[in-house]
Amino acid sequence: MEQVELKVVLEVRLQDGLSQWEDVKDAAGVLWRSTITPDISAIATGFQDHYENPDLTVSELNTGMNRSRRGLVVHNGEKITIAFLGSDPNELHMNMWTNGKGPGWWEPSYPVYENGNRVHSFFRDMWHAIRSGTYDALSIAVQDMAARGATPKQIIVAGFSMGGGISIVATSMAFTEILERIRHTWDEKLGSLVQHLTFAAVAAGDRGYYTVLNQLYKTYQIRAWDFLNHRDITVHIHHLAFRSWRGHRYILPKAVVGRFGGEFGGNGHDILGYLKAAEWMAEHGTDQVKSAYSY
């Protein structure tokens, strides 16, 4: 029994070779292209041109608070990508809002729990703000696919930085609901089609929270991979209560990261750098990617 369980764990690790980097590159590309311009029509046209698919659709995920774009749902043929975007440079401090707080300035902050496990309060609030829009966009994509007689080949949940943290909460709280919406149409076991690919994701839960999430990854054979530049500034901002392992975290090789110092930016934290590194890996490959199980 232990040998079977070990095999299950190994199957969702990043393998040597080039093939799996295509999915990583594509996830990073969606995250980067989602931030090129505030004009959602231009974003959609850019995606259609890039994938050479005029039928590709893009749905914008906005919060109800300030209408800021927090994500996109990109429906491209038989592939659906739910992308949670990184924070604006002026919002980096929001990654530190791990506790909840009442409306009064005098009220103390307090830790927030879901089913007995501690979770990042701000990321949870962000997910609640865009949850309805995410479900609506997913339902439209599923209905369109079914009308064409197609079935999904890939469902990618992607996130960068703050968006990575929000994607963690979304995957933990909504994965079952997302699968049920798809099964309602196809009545198939589609969990193995889901991938959770993040880049410099900010930690979003404590050990208990991640234990539940890791079991979800294992049960449904989800590729849960986070990629990190060793110089990324976010390695210093994870809350002490949240420094536990989730899925598999991979440290990009210094030799590859060094090629794209300008794209990563001065703090080593720019999605364009992660895209360029993934593009290089998809073309050349390397066995120097290091696995890390703690921050």
Side-chain angles (χ1 to χ4, degrees):
M1 182 65 177
E2 291 181 356
Q3 291 180 343
V4 173
E5 291 181 349
L6 178 60
K7 181 176 183 294
V8 168
V9 173
L10 291 176
E11 283 178 347
V12 295
R13 289 186 180 180
L14 179 68
Q15 303 297 311
D16 291 339
L18 305 179
S19 61
Q20 293 180 332
W21 282 99
E22 287 295 328
D23 288 336
V24 179
K25 179 185 74 173
D26 193 63
V30 170
L31 290 164
W32 176 68
R33 291 182 179 86
S34 299
T35 61
I36 293 176
T37 173
D39 185 349
I40 189 61
S41 297
I43 291 286
T45 300
F47 274 114
Q48 291 170 348
D49 292 344
H50 175 73
Y51 290 107
E52 299 181 346
N53 179 9
D55 296 323
L56 179 148
T57 61
V58 175
S59 300
E60 190 173 31
L61 305 178
N62 292 314
T63 66
M65 289 170 267
N66 57 10
R67 301 299 298 170
S68 63
R69 181 185 301 159
R70 292 298 175 186
L72 294 178
V73 176
V74 180
H75 174 207
N76 180 25
E78 283 73 47
K79 182 174 184 176
I80 300 171
T81 302
I82 306 172
F84 297 94
L85 309 184
S87 57
D88 181 273
N90 296 324
E91 299 176 330
L92 285 176
H93 63 286
M94 296 179 182
N95 290 298
M96 310 297 289
W97 293 356
T98 55
N99 286 351
K101 192 179 184 305
W105 63 266
W106 64 89
E107 298 183 68
S109 64
Y110 53 87
V112 175
Y113 294 87
E114 289 281 350
N115 298 318
N117 299 313
R118 189 173 176 183
V119 64
H120 196 296
S121 175
F122 182 70
F123 294 169
R124 187 193 67 160
D125 291 345
M126 286 294 98
W127 165 240
H128 285 166
I130 62 178
R131 177 175 55 187
S132 177
T134 303
Y135 288 162
D136 289 345
L138 183 61
S139 294
I140 292 172
V142 167
Q143 291 168 9
D144 176 75
M145 210 178 293
R148 293 186 288 106
T151 56
K153 293 181 179 178
Q154 285 184 311
I155 302 167
I156 309 295
V157 179
F160 167 61
S161 190
M162 177 190 290
I166 297 172
S167 78
I168 293 170
V169 177
T171 303
S172 175
M173 299 179 68
F175 180 78
T176 302
E177 293 184 56
I178 290 173
L179 280 191
E180 285 304 315
R181 288 169 183 266
I182 298 171
R183 287 192 182 123
H184 179 72
T185 302
W186 284 282
D187 193 26
E188 296 180 19
K189 293 183 178 180
L190 301 172
S192 61
L193 300 183
V194 177
Q195 299 182 46
H196 187 192
L197 305 178
T198 57
F199 304 86
V202 179
D206 64 8
R207 178 178 295 180
Y209 194 83
Y210 280 175
T211 297
V212 175
L213 187 55
N214 285 326
Q215 184 59 49
L216 188 72
Y217 292 150
K218 178 180 176 181
T219 299
Y220 289 98
Q221 290 288 272
I222 299 172
R223 295 177 180 178
W225 302 337
D226 183 57
F227 297 90
L228 183 68
N229 168 12
H230 68 285
R231 293 180 53 251
D232 196 303
I233 192 174
T234 59
V235 299
H236 304 296
I237 69 172
H238 300 292
H239 193 281
L240 290 176
F242 297 160
R243 299 195 177 197
S244 184
W245 68 274
R246 174 191 65 85
H248 296 280
R249 164 164 281 187
Y250 294 103
I251 310 300
L252 296 172
K254 292 182 180 180
V256 176
V257 170
R259 293 172 177 268
F260 307 108
E263 287 83 355
F264 273 107
N267 57 14
H269 185 70
D270 194 307
I271 187 59
L272 180 58
Y274 284 99
L275 170 58
K276 292 300 182 181
E279 287 177 340
W280 193 94
M281 296 290 285
E283 182 176 355
H284 302 285
T286 176
D287 59 356
Q288 299 301 309
V289 178
K290 296 181 179 179
S291 177
Y293 290 91
S294 61
Y295 297 116

